[in-house]
Amino acid sequence: MNNNTFGTAFCLTTFGESHGAAIGGVIDGCPAGILLDKALIEKELSRRKPGQNATMSTRKEPDEVELLSGLFEGNTTGTPIAFVIRNKDAKTSDYENIKDVFRPSHADFTYQEKYGIRDYAGGGRGSARTLLPCVVAGAIAKQILALQDIEIQSNVIQIGEERSAGFSNDDIERILSRFREEKDTVGAVVQGIVKNAPVGIGEPAFQKFHAVLAHAMMNINAAKGFEIGEGFNAARMRGSECNDEFYYDGERIRTRTNHSGGVQGGITNGEDIVFNVAFKPIPSVMLPQKTVDIHGNEKVLEIQGRHDVCVVPRVIPMIEAMAAMVTLDFVLLKKCNKM
């Protein structure tokens, strides 16, 4: 398996499986002399923990990060930061009934065809749990960006057919409880915002800021769609409606509207970077489903185990983490370009 590294100047290489001994990563390119707050890293990990309410997987993981290298007296040294998060509550027996069966809309079939072998326990490398290292790297990136007043925010704006400017946690739990009772799952749309990003990050050809951001978001499990600014709505607009007019506010040049989502020509313009990510329903549905086994025999599958009803709210720290890594990567690359 290739391509386990993300980033250019700020790089993360990840390893591990859902039911393996541990999940971890190595961060390369982190600037030296940054005083890291481990509590903030653990806070981000806790936002993604399972078992926090009745609509989440009941798997109980402490998700404590062990920082193994790259720090001295709490400060980054500029050398690789290695870390692990140990798996404590894996129940491989929950997956025995599907070891020879392909779960609908999971990666079981494609992994089997590509590698001739698959880790059926919890989805192995295909599990969303393997993105925990991104939360750690994103939490570190957030702390570095905060030194420049760059902030990452997010809101859940759609769950199934219900839309909102931003659902509260209580709203999310209320909606998802209904799907849990029906033994079904549901999709969602999350909006991300990068505030105070500098003008001029992103490359105009094949490393456009929004293209790399889309790449990052589409590598999150269950992501099926990405749009920035007006996105698909721009296809229904006229140029006179969609163009962002410039003006001078007395300090800098700005735009009166933000239909572009803070990016023009692949380069940030200093406005808020606003993007949406659409996620499909989690495919682990607790209802009978038709499928086949590895020999092509038809089967009726009833999935067992511990599963979420929806990617939200646990995907939110993932979106923020990936956005933070992309933004920091481009900030560092811009500094390199000026040398």
Side-chain angles (χ1 to χ4, degrees):
M1 177 184 282
N2 298 317
N3 299 309
N4 294 289
T5 299
F6 179 81
T8 304
F10 183 84
C11 301
L12 171 68
T13 300
T14 71
F15 64 86
E17 296 81 33
S18 178
H19 285 211
I23 292 168
V26 177
I27 300 170
D28 210 0
C30 183
I34 306 294
L35 179 62
L36 289 185
D37 187 339
K38 188 182 177 187
L40 290 178
I41 299 174
E42 291 174 341
K43 180 180 179 181
E44 291 299 303
L45 286 169
S46 70
R47 295 173 68 200
R48 199 212 156 274
K49 272 186 185 179
Q52 297 186 59
N53 62 51
T55 65
M56 293 182 182
S57 164
T58 57
R59 183 172 177 171
K60 295 290 186 180
E61 291 286 358
D63 286 348
E64 296 170 347
V65 63
E66 300 174 40
L67 299 171
L68 305 178
S69 67
L71 296 171
F72 181 71
E73 297 180 341
N75 290 276
T76 60
T77 61
T79 58
I81 299 174
F83 60 90
V84 295
I85 302 165
R86 302 191 186 278
N87 294 323
K88 303 286 188 181
D89 189 30
K91 292 184 179 179
T92 304
S93 59
D94 286 348
Y95 296 86
E96 287 288 337
N97 69 317
I98 57 98
K99 65 180 181 179
D100 294 325
V101 180
F102 299 131
R103 294 170 295 174
S105 289
H106 279 78
D108 300 340
F109 172 71
T110 52
Y111 267 61
Q112 187 73 40
E113 288 294 299
K114 182 175 178 65
Y115 300 107
I117 186 174
R118 68 182 172 94
D119 179 353
Y120 62 84
R125 187 69 174 153
S127 169
R129 184 165 177 78
T130 62
L131 293 177
L132 274 178
C134 297
V135 178
V136 175
I140 293 173
K142 276 186 173 183
Q143 293 185 48
I144 299 171
L145 292 173
L147 299 175
Q148 301 183 43
D149 295 322
I150 301 172
E151 183 182 356
I152 315 293
Q153 300 177 353
S154 62
N155 290 296
V156 180
I157 61 172
Q158 184 171 345
I159 303 175
E161 295 183 353
E162 295 194 41
R163 294 186 63 86
S164 170
F167 289 103
S168 68
N169 289 335
D170 288 342
D171 289 335
I172 293 171
E173 189 168 355
R174 172 183 56 80
I175 296 168
L176 299 189
S177 293
R178 184 173 76 248
F179 288 92
R180 170 70 79 185
E181 291 171 3
E182 297 172 357
K183 297 184 177 181
D184 215 336
T185 61
V186 65
V189 178
V190 180
Q191 183 174 88
I193 304 172
V194 181
K195 301 187 76 67
N196 302 321
V199 179
I201 58 174
E203 302 300 326
F206 300 113
Q207 286 287 98
K208 291 179 169 64
F209 185 93
H210 61 286
V212 177
L213 185 62
H215 170 71
M217 296 303 151
M218 294 303 289
N219 274 294
I220 300 175
N221 295 54
K224 286 296 182 181
F226 175 88
E227 58 182 3
I228 189 161
E230 290 292 342
F232 286 97
N233 187 53
R236 296 187 286 268
M237 299 174 71
R238 298 187 180 195
S240 55
E241 298 174 296
C242 195
N243 285 350
D244 294 317
E245 295 181 351
F246 290 107
Y247 74 100
Y248 184 63
D249 71 357
E251 294 183 0
R252 66 184 180 94
I253 295 174
R254 301 198 58 182
T255 60
R256 296 190 184 281
T257 54
N258 194 21
H259 301 302
S260 299
V263 181
Q264 293 168 327
I267 303 169
T268 57
N269 64 9
E271 303 296 331
D272 288 351
I273 299 165
V274 183
F275 61 94
N276 297 332
V277 189
F279 294 90
K280 71 175 183 178
I282 288 174
S284 295
V285 177
M286 300 295 188
L287 294 169
Q289 299 177 87
K290 293 180 180 180
T291 187
V292 298
D293 63 17
I294 58 175
H295 305 294
N297 300 313
E298 293 186 357
K299 298 285 184 179
V300 175
L301 174 66
E302 292 193 40
I303 291 177
Q304 307 297 317
R306 304 164 293 179
H307 306 286
D308 294 333
V309 173
C310 182
V311 294
V312 297
R314 293 175 64 204
V315 79
I316 292 173
M318 278 302 320
I319 289 170
E320 293 180 10
M322 298 304 279
M325 283 194 287
V326 169
T327 304
L328 178 59
D329 202 25
F330 275 116
V331 167
L332 295 176
L333 285 170
K334 183 179 181 181
K335 290 182 178 180
C336 292
N337 289 341
K338 287 188 174 182
M339 294 177 65

